[in-house]
CSV table of all heavy atoms in Angstrom, one decimal:
chain,number,residue,atom,x,y,z
A,1,LEU,N,8.1,-38.3,4.2
A,1,LEU,CA,7.1,-37.8,5.1
A,1,LEU,C,5.9,-37.3,4.3
A,1,LEU,O,6.0,-36.6,3.3
A,1,LEU,CB,7.7,-36.6,5.8
A,1,LEU,CG,6.8,-35.9,6.9
A,1,LEU,CD1,7.7,-35.2,7.9
A,1,LEU,CD2,5.9,-34.8,6.3
A,2,ARG,N,4.7,-37.8,4.7
A,2,ARG,CA,3.5,-37.4,4.1
A,2,ARG,C,2.4,-37.1,5.2
A,2,ARG,O,2.6,-37.5,6.4
A,2,ARG,CB,2.9,-38.5,3.2
A,2,ARG,CG,3.8,-38.9,2.0
A,2,ARG,CD,4.0,-37.7,1.1
A,2,ARG,NE,2.8,-37.1,0.6
A,2,ARG,CZ,2.3,-37.4,-0.6
A,2,ARG,NH1,2.8,-38.4,-1.3
A,2,ARG,NH2,1.2,-36.8,-1.0
A,3,THR,N,1.4,-36.4,4.9
A,3,THR,CA,0.4,-36.0,5.8
A,3,THR,C,-1.0,-36.4,5.3
A,3,THR,O,-1.2,-36.4,4.1
A,3,THR,CB,0.4,-34.5,6.2
A,3,THR,OG1,0.1,-33.8,5.0
A,3,THR,CG2,1.7,-34.1,6.7
A,4,THR,N,-2.0,-36.6,6.2
A,4,THR,CA,-3.3,-36.9,5.8
A,4,THR,C,-4.1,-35.5,5.8
A,4,THR,O,-3.6,-34.5,6.3
A,4,THR,CB,-4.0,-37.8,6.8
A,4,THR,OG1,-4.2,-37.2,8.0
A,4,THR,CG2,-3.2,-39.1,7.0
A,5,TRP,N,-5.3,-35.6,5.2
A,5,TRP,CA,-6.1,-34.4,5.2
A,5,TRP,C,-6.5,-33.9,6.6
A,5,TRP,O,-6.8,-32.7,6.8
A,5,TRP,CB,-7.4,-34.6,4.3
A,5,TRP,CG,-7.1,-34.5,2.9
A,5,TRP,CD1,-6.2,-35.3,2.2
A,5,TRP,CD2,-7.6,-33.6,1.9
A,5,TRP,NE1,-6.2,-34.9,0.8
A,5,TRP,CE2,-7.1,-33.9,0.7
A,5,TRP,CE3,-8.5,-32.5,2.0
A,5,TRP,CZ2,-7.4,-33.2,-0.5
A,5,TRP,CZ3,-8.9,-31.8,0.9
A,5,TRP,CH2,-8.3,-32.1,-0.3
A,6,GLU,N,-6.5,-34.8,7.5
A,6,GLU,CA,-6.8,-34.5,8.9
A,6,GLU,C,-5.6,-34.0,9.7
A,6,GLU,O,-5.7,-33.5,10.8
A,6,GLU,CB,-7.4,-35.7,9.6
A,6,GLU,CG,-8.8,-36.1,9.1
A,6,GLU,CD,-8.7,-36.8,7.7
A,6,GLU,OE1,-7.6,-37.3,7.4
A,6,GLU,OE2,-9.7,-36.8,7.0
A,7,GLY,N,-4.4,-34.0,9.1
A,7,GLY,CA,-3.2,-33.5,9.8
A,7,GLY,C,-2.3,-34.6,10.4
A,7,GLY,O,-1.3,-34.2,11.0
A,8,THR,N,-2.7,-35.9,10.3
A,8,THR,CA,-1.8,-36.9,10.8
A,8,THR,C,-0.5,-36.9,10.0
A,8,THR,O,-0.6,-36.8,8.8
A,8,THR,CB,-2.5,-38.2,10.8
A,8,THR,OG1,-3.7,-38.2,11.6
A,8,THR,CG2,-1.6,-39.3,11.4
A,9,ILE,N,0.6,-37.1,10.7
A,9,ILE,CA,1.9,-37.1,10.0
A,9,ILE,C,2.4,-38.6,9.9
A,9,ILE,O,2.5,-39.3,10.9
A,9,ILE,CB,2.9,-36.3,10.7
A,9,ILE,CG1,2.4,-34.8,10.9
A,9,ILE,CG2,4.2,-36.2,10.0
A,9,ILE,CD1,3.2,-34.0,11.9
A,10,TRP,N,2.7,-39.0,8.6
A,10,TRP,CA,3.3,-40.3,8.4
A,10,TRP,C,4.7,-40.2,8.1
A,10,TRP,O,5.1,-39.5,7.1
A,10,TRP,CB,2.5,-41.0,7.2
A,10,TRP,CG,1.1,-41.5,7.5
A,10,TRP,CD1,0.2,-40.8,8.2
A,10,TRP,CD2,0.5,-42.7,7.1
A,10,TRP,NE1,-1.0,-41.5,8.3
A,10,TRP,CE2,-0.8,-42.7,7.6
A,10,TRP,CE3,1.0,-43.8,6.4
A,10,TRP,CZ2,-1.7,-43.7,7.4
A,10,TRP,CZ3,0.1,-44.8,6.2
A,10,TRP,CH2,-1.2,-44.8,6.7
A,11,VAL,N,5.6,-40.7,8.9
A,11,VAL,CA,7.0,-40.6,8.8
A,11,VAL,C,7.6,-42.0,8.4
A,11,VAL,O,7.5,-42.9,9.1
A,11,VAL,CB,7.7,-40.1,10.1
A,11,VAL,CG1,9.2,-40.0,9.9
A,11,VAL,CG2,7.0,-38.8,10.5
A,12,GLN,N,8.2,-42.0,7.2
A,12,GLN,CA,8.8,-43.3,6.7
A,12,GLN,C,10.3,-43.3,7.1
A,12,GLN,O,11.0,-42.4,6.8
A,12,GLN,CB,8.6,-43.4,5.2
A,12,GLN,CG,9.2,-44.8,4.7
A,12,GLN,CD,9.0,-45.0,3.2
A,12,GLN,OE1,8.1,-44.3,2.6
A,12,GLN,NE2,9.7,-45.9,2.6
A,13,ARG,N,10.6,-44.4,7.8
A,13,ARG,CA,12.0,-44.6,8.2
A,13,ARG,C,12.7,-45.6,7.3
A,13,ARG,O,12.1,-46.5,6.8
A,13,ARG,CB,12.1,-45.1,9.7
A,13,ARG,CG,11.7,-44.1,10.7
A,13,ARG,CD,12.0,-44.8,12.1
A,13,ARG,NE,10.8,-45.5,12.6
A,13,ARG,CZ,10.9,-46.7,13.1
A,13,ARG,NH1,12.0,-47.3,13.3
A,13,ARG,NH2,9.8,-47.3,13.6
A,14,TRP,N,14.0,-45.4,7.1
A,14,TRP,CA,14.8,-46.4,6.3
A,14,TRP,C,15.0,-47.7,7.1
A,14,TRP,O,14.9,-47.7,8.3
A,14,TRP,CB,16.1,-45.8,5.9
A,14,TRP,CG,16.0,-44.8,4.8
A,14,TRP,CD1,15.8,-43.5,4.8
A,14,TRP,CD2,16.2,-45.1,3.4
A,14,TRP,NE1,15.8,-43.0,3.6
A,14,TRP,CE2,16.1,-43.9,2.7
A,14,TRP,CE3,16.5,-46.3,2.7
A,14,TRP,CZ2,16.2,-43.9,1.3
A,14,TRP,CZ3,16.6,-46.3,1.3
A,14,TRP,CH2,16.5,-45.0,0.6
A,15,GLY,N,15.3,-48.7,6.4
A,15,GLY,CA,15.6,-50.0,7.0
A,15,GLY,C,17.0,-50.0,7.6
A,15,GLY,O,17.7,-49.0,7.7
A,16,SER,N,17.5,-51.1,8.0
A,16,SER,CA,18.7,-51.2,8.8
A,16,SER,C,20.0,-51.2,7.9
A,16,SER,O,21.1,-51.2,8.5
A,16,SER,CB,18.7,-52.4,9.7
A,16,SER,OG,18.5,-53.6,8.9
A,17,ASP,N,19.9,-51.3,6.6
A,17,ASP,CA,21.0,-51.3,5.7
A,17,ASP,C,21.3,-49.9,5.2
A,17,ASP,O,20.6,-49.4,4.4
A,17,ASP,CB,20.8,-52.3,4.5
A,17,ASP,CG,22.0,-52.3,3.6
A,17,ASP,OD1,23.1,-51.8,4.0
A,17,ASP,OD2,21.8,-52.9,2.5
A,18,PRO,N,22.4,-49.3,5.7
A,18,PRO,CA,22.7,-47.9,5.2
A,18,PRO,C,23.0,-47.8,3.8
A,18,PRO,O,22.8,-46.8,3.2
A,18,PRO,CB,24.0,-47.6,6.1
A,18,PRO,CG,24.0,-48.5,7.2
A,18,PRO,CD,23.4,-49.8,6.7
A,19,LEU,N,23.5,-48.9,3.1
A,19,LEU,CA,23.8,-48.8,1.7
A,19,LEU,C,22.6,-48.7,0.8
A,19,LEU,O,22.7,-48.3,-0.4
A,19,LEU,CB,24.6,-50.1,1.3
A,19,LEU,CG,26.0,-50.2,2.0
A,19,LEU,CD1,26.8,-51.4,1.4
A,19,LEU,CD2,26.8,-48.9,1.9
A,20,ALA,N,21.4,-48.9,1.3
A,20,ALA,CA,20.2,-48.7,0.5
A,20,ALA,C,20.1,-47.2,0.2
A,20,ALA,O,19.6,-46.8,-0.9
A,20,ALA,CB,19.0,-49.1,1.3
A,21,GLN,N,20.6,-46.3,1.0
A,21,GLN,CA,20.6,-44.9,0.7
A,21,GLN,C,21.6,-44.6,-0.4
A,21,GLN,O,21.2,-43.8,-1.3
A,21,GLN,CB,21.1,-44.1,2.0
A,21,GLN,CG,21.1,-42.6,1.8
A,21,GLN,CD,22.5,-42.1,1.6
A,21,GLN,OE1,23.5,-42.8,1.6
A,21,GLN,NE2,22.6,-40.8,1.3
A,22,ILE,N,22.7,-45.3,-0.5
A,22,ILE,CA,23.6,-45.0,-1.6
A,22,ILE,C,23.0,-45.5,-2.9
A,22,ILE,O,23.1,-44.8,-3.9
A,22,ILE,CB,24.9,-45.8,-1.4
A,22,ILE,CG1,25.6,-45.3,-0.1
A,22,ILE,CG2,25.9,-45.6,-2.5
A,22,ILE,CD1,26.0,-43.9,0.0
A,23,GLU,N,22.3,-46.6,-2.9
A,23,GLU,CA,21.6,-47.0,-4.2
A,23,GLU,C,20.6,-46.0,-4.6
A,23,GLU,O,20.4,-45.8,-5.8
A,23,GLU,CB,21.0,-48.4,-3.9
A,23,GLU,CG,22.0,-49.5,-3.7
A,23,GLU,CD,21.4,-50.9,-3.5
A,23,GLU,OE1,20.1,-50.9,-3.6
A,23,GLU,OE2,22.1,-51.8,-3.3
A,24,ALA,N,19.9,-45.5,-3.6
A,24,ALA,CA,18.8,-44.5,-3.9
A,24,ALA,C,19.3,-43.3,-4.5
A,24,ALA,O,18.8,-42.7,-5.4
A,24,ALA,CB,18.0,-44.2,-2.7
A,25,GLN,N,20.5,-42.8,-4.0
A,25,GLN,CA,21.1,-41.5,-4.5
A,25,GLN,C,21.4,-41.7,-6.0
A,25,GLN,O,21.3,-40.8,-6.8
A,25,GLN,CB,22.3,-41.2,-3.7
A,25,GLN,CG,22.0,-40.5,-2.4
A,25,GLN,CD,23.3,-40.0,-1.7
A,25,GLN,OE1,24.4,-40.5,-1.9
A,25,GLN,NE2,23.1,-38.9,-1.0
A,26,ALA,N,22.0,-42.8,-6.4
A,26,ALA,CA,22.6,-43.0,-7.7
A,26,ALA,C,21.7,-43.8,-8.6
A,26,ALA,O,22.1,-44.1,-9.7
A,26,ALA,CB,23.9,-43.6,-7.6
A,27,ALA,N,20.5,-44.1,-8.2
A,27,ALA,CA,19.6,-44.9,-9.1
A,27,ALA,C,19.3,-44.2,-10.4
A,27,ALA,O,19.0,-43.0,-10.4
A,27,ALA,CB,18.3,-45.2,-8.4
A,28,PRO,N,19.5,-44.8,-11.5
A,28,PRO,CA,19.3,-44.2,-12.8
A,28,PRO,C,17.9,-43.6,-13.0
A,28,PRO,O,17.8,-42.5,-13.6
A,28,PRO,CB,19.6,-45.3,-13.9
A,28,PRO,CG,20.5,-46.3,-13.1
A,28,PRO,CD,20.0,-46.2,-11.7
């Protein structure tokens, strides 16, 4: 989640593969 200086909120969603989260947790 990030915001612009004007207050707009950018929300990044993960893709459809749940295992990408597992890779992200343990990435060296």
